[in-house]
Amino acid sequence: MFDVSIEDEIPPAFLYSFLALIVAYHIFAPLCSTVKQRSWILTTISSAAMSLSSLPLFLHYVGSRGDLRGIRSTLWTESASRFFQAYLVADLLMGMIYYRSKVNLLTGWFHHTIYIFIVGYSCRMGWSHLFILCAVLEVPTFVLAIASLNPRFRSDVIFALSFFATRIVLHIFLCASMVASRHSVTNDSFGPGVIMACIFPLHAFWFYGCLKGFVQRAKPVKPQPVKQATVTTSPSPSGFTSLRARSWTLPRRRGPLRQAVRAWDRFELRNAAGRFGDVQRRLRASLPVARERVYAYVGLEWPPSGEPQRTGAVETESSL
């Protein structure tokens, strides 16, 4: 009753693919220098494998002008579908451990979870060949992934053209073919056509974002006017100061200078004048007595005794 092996619960293709992807990630992760590059390792492997797997069915579809009746599910198409399912789980698991910041809500959790159930539903219904045919839509994913690993391979034009050719134009043709061939391909089921119709708005939204990016990059960049600001610097050892700094530092320096000059005039000059007067008085006292004649000659006033009149200053000098 409880003798149930793991292979009965988990398809071997899913299990082996999951383990191989985990090992591949740990092999190539040390070669990447950024978290962004590591987040694209599994996506690059998966998109390359799915694009190559879809190539034979895509060539048959184009050669038959959109006829799906010649395509059948095989072990190979189911194994390839399980490989993609294992990639979705491995990418979420590695993202939670190593690059959580790169796994967003829309393109990460929502996208991967929806496609896990889509792959399981396609395999149970026997429509794995239709899913692998639609895997050709992974071509633009590979272009984006390889450019994320190495920026030298980036080409926005190639990505936009491949995205438009596969996820817009080819998507519409595949959806129309699945609806038109439902009698012989899906037993009158609209399931694949409805799934394709529900996925198309997401692809259209992504392509709109791509075109919006082209328009923004095509707009010329307007030069921003440069504002000239007055830069003030503090006094440096070299003595260079700004004009604004000098405008308020010089008046402050003139104040102490005036005070110093006033103090010098008040004290030094007066002392010098006192010393000069002392020398003058000593010089006059040392002159001969005949100096009165000199005074008379220059018109000094004579006293009644016939001698020149001495002023109080002279009397003071002679008394010394």
Side-chain angles (χ1 to χ4, degrees), residues 97-113:
I97 299 175
Y98 298 108
Y99 46 90
R100 182 173 297 183
S101 61
K102 300 301 179 181
V103 182
N104 57 38
L105 182 62
L106 179 61
T107 60
W109 292 100
F110 179 78
H111 174 272
H112 286 25
T113 303

Side-chain angles (χ1 to χ4, degrees), residues 227-275:
K227 296 182 180 180
Q228 296 181 355
T230 304
V231 180
T232 59
T233 58
S234 59
S236 59
S238 59
F240 291 100
T241 58
S242 63
L243 294 179
R244 179 177 294 181
R246 292 181 179 179
S247 63
W248 62 271
T249 54
L250 288 181
R252 296 200 312 175
R253 294 177 181 177
R254 289 171 183 170
L257 183 60
R258 293 193 186 99
Q259 295 178 1
V261 172
R262 290 173 183 174
W264 186 83
D265 290 339
R266 187 181 300 114
F267 298 104
E268 299 296 334
L269 290 182
R270 287 184 180 180
N271 295 335
R275 291 192 295 270

Side-chain angles (χ1 to χ4, degrees), residues 190-205:
F190 286 93
V194 172
I195 293 175
M196 294 291 289
C198 293
I199 295 174
F200 182 79
L202 181 61
H203 293 175
F205 175 75

Side-chain angles (χ1 to χ4, degrees), residues 4 16 23 50 53 62 119 181 188 194 204 216 246 254 278 290:
V4 179
Y16 300 150
V23 172
M50 298 305 293
S53 300
V62 174
V119 173
S181 305
D188 292 332
V194 172
Q216 292 179 352
R246 292 181 179 179
R254 289 171 183 170
D278 186 23

Side-chain angles (χ1 to χ4, degrees), residues 21 41 45 62 72 235 256 268 303:
L21 289 170
I41 293 176
I45 297 174
V62 174
R72 293 290 184 268
E268 299 296 334

Side-chain angles (χ1 to χ4, degrees), residues 119-317:
V119 173
Y121 175 73
S122 300
C123 292
R124 286 195 306 269
M125 299 298 296
W127 301 335
S128 62
H129 60 292
L130 297 179
F131 182 82
I132 295 303
L133 174 62
C134 296
V136 71
L137 305 183
E138 287 295 298
V139 171
T141 304
F142 175 76
V143 175
L144 181 61
I146 197 66
S148 299
L149 291 179
N150 193 338
R152 293 183 301 176
F153 299 122
R154 176 174 177 174
S155 176
D156 295 337
V157 176
I158 294 177
F159 172 76
L161 292 177
S162 63
F163 195 99
F164 178 76
T166 56
R167 301 206 173 191
I168 301 298
V169 177
L170 183 58
H171 191 113
I172 296 175
F173 277 97
L174 289 173
C175 183
S177 299
M178 291 179 185
V179 173
S181 305
R182 66 183 186 278
H183 300 289
S184 56
V185 176
T186 60
N187 296 326
D188 292 332
S189 175
F190 286 93
V194 172
I195 293 175
M196 294 291 289
C198 293
I199 295 174
F200 182 79
L202 181 61
H203 293 175
F205 175 75
W206 286 344
F207 186 68
Y208 168 76
C210 179
L211 294 180
K212 188 177 180 180
F214 271 106
V215 173
Q216 292 179 352
R217 288 189 293 269
K219 291 181 179 180
V221 179
K222 296 181 180 180
Q224 297 294 336
V226 179
K227 296 182 180 180
Q228 296 181 355
T230 304
V231 180
T232 59
T233 58
S234 59
S236 59
S238 59
F240 291 100
T241 58
S242 63
L243 294 179
R244 179 177 294 181
R246 292 181 179 179
S247 63
W248 62 271
T249 54
L250 288 181
R252 296 200 312 175
R253 294 177 181 177
R254 289 171 183 170
L257 183 60
R258 293 193 186 99
Q259 295 178 1
V261 172
R262 290 173 183 174
W264 186 83
D265 290 339
R266 187 181 300 114
F267 298 104
E268 299 296 334
L269 290 182
R270 287 184 180 180
N271 295 335
R275 291 192 295 270
F276 179 76
D278 186 23
V279 173
Q280 186 179 15
R281 286 192 296 271
R282 292 181 180 181
L283 181 62
R284 287 179 180 177
S286 63
L287 290 176
V289 182
R291 64 181 180 274
E292 286 81 2
R293 296 181 182 180
V294 178
Y295 293 156
Y297 179 78
V298 297
L300 292 179
E301 191 174 343
W302 288 85
S305 59
E307 294 181 356
Q309 185 178 2
R310 296 181 179 179
T311 62
V314 175
E315 292 177 354
T316 305
E317 294 171 1

